[in-house]
Amino acid sequence: MTDVTARPPEVGAEPLLTLRGIEKHFGAVQALAGVDLDVPSGQVTALVGDNGAGKSVLVKTIAGIHEPDGGEMHWEGRRVRVRNPRDAAELGIEVVYQDLALCDNLDIVQNMFLGRETVQNGLLDEDTMEREASRTLADLRVRTVRSVRMPVSALSGGQRQSVAVAKAVMWNSKLVILDEPTAALGVAQTQQVLELVRRLADRGLAVIMISHNLNDVFAVADRLAVLRLGVMVGAGPAREFDSRRAVELMTTGRSSDGPARSAGDDEVTA
Amino acid sequence: MPESDAPALERRRDWRELALGYGIYLVLALFVLVMALLSPNFLRPGNLLNIAVQASTVAVIAVGATMVILLAEIDLSVGSVAALSGAVTAGVLKFAVGGAAGGVVGLLVAIAAGLAVGTVLGAINGVLTVRGGIPSFIVTLGMLSIARGLTLLYTGGRPIFALGPDFSVLAYGRLATVPVPIVILVTLYVLAALFLHTTQLGRYIYAAGTNRRAVALAGINVDRLKLGVFALAGALAGLGGVLLTSRLDSAQPTAAAGWELDVIAAVVLGGTSLYGGRGSVVKTLVGAIILQLISNGLNLLNVQAYWQQITKGGVILLALLLERSLRRARGGESL
């Protein structure tokens, strides 16, 4: 198994989030088998893999929706356990789910503050929330929405994605996880969202982006982590990968170009 | 050419938006106009107050029903629950606290007992829906039958009457010059509107009605929220039953039978979507008043009671159809 005492393979500062030997079973099915992952701040880490590779399970484990059956999670160097989404939010972990988890009937402000409304004397403080929401959107240079009081049902796919991202970064979050942020978007909107993802990392946040689309991944990612059948078969700086190698790892777990720097995994051969 | 289409489309959307938002007030105005033409006495303050008092029992129950429907659930048991609550209040008043001799304390105990019964039955609806995973449609259909059966058992199938003058204050008393039921009604609607629009729980009711998962992911216990709303709906059904009992000065075993239709009709006429997440409690009140106007109008016209039922059902279906087609044409609403 993985040596948990080994230093992360990063040189320099400690990664924000370190996973070591994460295991997750659903009955007889092993969804995650000893997964290691380092997520540094200020970088976009792309999590790639074929359907059923365990990307979503891994993300849900980090987000506190699934508790892992084994392994360790370190946050800013401290060992932590994340049992539910609240725990994750307290650490500063926010997830933008593929379905965005927005309420169509609520407006942008109401969605961005859902569950964390500003309250004064027990009543909703709409003015403060509206100001904060506008400020966050402006910070992220999301300028396409006409009014923050528009219902989400009236927004385009790219605008919805932007609102969901803004909702995630508003809480001094340190890690934002995006699940297939561009899957439902057209070319122009994909570009907008990728630029937004880039800006998050440039502001110093750690970003994990799940994606099927290798073009998107190479356009924006600093690091790649390749999952296959619950095993981390390759991880490292994006420059060490190209499309062919990433696809090889995703599909066969091997790469003809030599081992990816990986998590002590026997399957990766030279 | 294509450019000229855009503003037209915009305009068309606008009137649909207006119709969805304010159409109900137009309908109310229309009904008032028709009634005023039909009967010279209609617009007299006394008559208007009377209509409001008559509408108040259904309107009180419809506050809870609005919240249940905002959550994309339904409560069909309100009529039976109201009957049982009314019967229990009457029974306690008459046989346990010594009727008029019990004084104000006895009266309050009796009313509290009735409200408690409503709350408990509502909570059972909630538990079965949330924890049992049974659709609320079926749960509350079962409760409709159970609560009615309990009412018949409790009363032995006979009305409990002669409840004393103190109790009739609820229905016939006045605060300054305003009838007590109107005071209760207005207070309730103001509180409900404040609750729904200015508190976190109110917001979660709207949110959970369209995207339960999003609310749960935000760390909110949606099950508990639903349970609470069902219990509240039960309590308000109980209050409606108590008010009705006071007005009739008796608890009838068959009281409030079929009221679930009136209550849901008031909510739906008020534009609250049966699919959850959209609607306004204030408009529910307008809906309840319109329903009462229909009843009164048909009475004025000497229309047979059987026809009244048919008309009421037809109005509800028509309102739903209209709302549905407006929404669909406006676009962006079809799921």
Side-chain angles (χ1 to χ4, degrees):
Chain A
M1 279 305 297
T2 317
D3 181 5
V4 290
T5 57
R7 295 301 300 162
E10 281 299 308
V11 218
E14 191 148 21
L16 176 71
L17 172 71
T18 310
L19 303 180
R20 286 293 175 263
I22 295 292
E23 305 268 336
K24 183 68 196 177
H25 304 261
F26 294 104
V29 181
Q30 180 149 35
L32 298 174
V35 169
D36 295 0
L37 181 67
D38 295 320
V39 183
S41 293
Q43 297 193 20
V44 177
T45 304
L47 187 58
V48 299
D50 207 349
N51 290 337
K55 305 183 299 284
S56 291
V57 178
L58 182 59
V59 159
K60 284 179 177 166
T61 305
I62 299 171
I65 292 174
H66 299 318
E67 244 194 297
D69 304 324
E72 293 184 4
M73 181 168 162
H74 294 266
W75 181 259
E76 298 180 318
R78 280 182 305 115
R79 185 167 178 190
V80 291
R81 298 189 72 179
V82 179
R83 291 187 183 80
N84 53 53
R86 277 262 151 124
D87 286 355
E90 261 165 45
L91 290 176
I93 300 172
E94 294 287 331
V95 186
V96 179
Y97 291 95
Q98 194 170 357
D99 69 359
L100 303 183
L102 298 172
C103 293
D104 270 358
N105 58 331
L106 301 189
D107 65 32
I108 294 174
V109 181
Q110 293 170 338
N111 266 291
M112 284 174 70
F113 278 86
L114 186 65
R116 295 183 271 208
E117 289 81 2
T118 310
V119 171
Q120 214 170 24
N121 305 322
L123 302 180
L124 296 169
D125 184 355
E126 296 288 349
D127 291 347
T128 304
M129 288 193 278
E130 189 172 324
R131 262 200 314 277
E132 283 286 307
S134 301
R135 206 171 52 89
T136 304
L137 287 170
D139 279 357
L140 293 174
R141 282 181 270 159
V142 177
R143 297 207 183 88
T144 54
V145 294
R146 249 185 301 139
S147 151
V148 288
R149 287 301 180 184
M150 266 164 75
V152 163
S153 61
L155 302 180
S156 72
Q159 290 172 329
R160 284 159 174 260
Q161 189 75 47
S162 302
V163 168
V165 170
K167 175 186 177 185
V169 302
M170 199 162 48
W171 310 99
N172 295 320
S173 30
K174 293 171 179 161
L175 167 62
V176 174
I177 303 172
L178 302 148
D179 189 355
E180 299 278 4
T182 58
L185 302 181
V187 177
Q189 295 192 328
T190 295
Q191 195 52 41
Q192 278 176 21
V193 168
L194 289 180
E195 281 168 17
L196 182 58
V197 170
R198 188 66 249 167
R199 279 200 290 279
L200 298 185
D202 292 346
R203 282 157 50 120
L205 274 79
V207 179
I208 297 177
M209 182 175 88
I210 295 184
S211 185
H212 266 105
N213 185 331
L214 288 176
N215 287 334
D216 292 358
V217 167
F218 284 110
V220 75
D222 302 297
R223 297 175 55 79
L224 252 71
V226 187
L227 269 178
R228 178 175 174 273
L229 302 175
V231 178
M232 191 64 80
V233 291
R239 66 186 130 75
E240 290 181 8
F241 292 82
D242 55 29
S243 285
R244 192 176 58 85
R245 178 146 183 255
V247 170
E248 272 178 8
L249 283 167
M250 282 162 69
T251 52
T252 66
R254 292 153 205 274
S255 153
S256 47
D257 296 354
R261 191 161 39 182
S262 160
D265 201 296
D266 312 329
E267 271 192 70
V268 182
T269 52
Chain B
M1 278 309 255
E3 288 92 332
S4 64
D5 286 349
L9 198 73
E10 219 32 40
R11 252 200 316 278
R12 208 154 56 226
R13 279 190 175 195
D14 274 357
W15 80 252
R16 290 202 169 103
E17 203 77 46
L18 282 174
L20 281 168
Y22 301 101
I24 180 83
Y25 298 108
L26 196 70
V27 174
L28 177 65
L30 205 72
F31 270 102
V32 169
L33 191 71
V34 170
M35 297 288 285
L37 292 175
L38 283 175
S39 156
N41 291 332
F42 175 75
L43 283 177
R44 282 183 23 215
N47 187 52
L48 291 179
L49 273 183
N50 196 31
I51 286 170
V53 170
Q54 285 174 334
S56 65
T57 29
V58 163
V60 161
I61 300 173
V63 171
T66 305
M67 294 183 197
V68 170
I69 291 175
L70 280 174
L71 279 170
E73 302 286 351
I74 195 89
D75 187 350
L76 299 175
S77 68
V78 286
S80 306
V81 170
L84 184 61
S85 296
V88 166
T89 293
V92 169
L93 191 60
K94 189 145 179 171
F95 306 117
V97 297
V104 176
V105 176
L107 196 62
L108 291 178
V109 168
I111 292 170
L115 297 186
V117 165
T119 311
V120 168
L121 294 188
I124 292 173
N125 281 337
V127 169
L128 290 174
T129 302
V130 165
R131 299 249 184 274
I134 311 169
S136 52
F137 173 74
I138 297 298
V139 168
T140 58
L141 193 60
M143 184 59 80
L144 179 153
S145 182
I146 292 169
R148 182 62 64 187
L150 288 173
T151 311
L152 289 163
L153 266 180
Y154 182 73
T155 59
R158 287 178 300 275
I160 305 169
F161 50 84
L163 303 171
D166 285 351
F167 185 54
S168 70
V169 167
L170 267 186
Y172 298 102
R174 284 178 181 251
L175 207 74
T177 56
V178 188
V180 171
I182 305 292
V183 175
I184 294 174
L185 187 70
V186 170
T187 312
L188 210 56
Y189 271 87
V190 168
L191 287 178
L194 285 175
F195 171 68
L196 281 173
H197 299 298
T198 67
T199 72
Q200 284 179 295
L201 285 178
R203 174 138 311 158
Y204 301 155
I205 288 175
Y206 277 92
T210 46
N211 195 342
R212 187 206 147 82
R213 206 177 81 86
V215 181
L217 284 171
I220 296 140
N221 189 334
V222 180
D223 284 355
R224 208 160 44 186
L225 180 71
K226 279 197 178 177
L227 210 160
V229 168
F230 270 107
L232 180 64
L236 290 169
L239 179 58
V242 171
L243 290 174
L244 178 67
T245 306
S246 169
R247 191 161 83 222
L248 303 176
D249 193 28
S250 69
Q252 304 285 339
T254 57
W259 276 26
E260 55 281 348
L261 183 70
D262 293 62
V263 167
I264 293 167
V267 177
V268 167
L269 275 178
T272 296
S273 165
L274 285 172
Y275 302 94
R278 277 168 240 271
S280 133
V281 72
V282 174
K283 287 186 195 160
T284 295
L285 178 57
V286 180
I289 290 171
I290 289 176
L291 277 182
Q292 191 58 46
L293 287 178
I294 293 174
S295 286
N296 284 41
L298 294 176
N299 277 340
L300 262 165
L301 296 172
N302 281 322
V303 177
Q304 208 185 357
Y306 303 145
W307 278 107
Q308 295 201 16
Q309 280 192 316
I310 296 168
T311 313
K312 220 178 264 180
V315 165
I316 295 160
L317 294 178
L318 204 69
L320 267 177
L321 238 115
L322 189 67
E323 197 239 355
R324 199 78 196 124
S325 68
L326 279 173
R327 272 199 202 290
R328 200 170 306 152
R330 191 182 57 169
E333 300 284 345
S334 48
L335 284 170

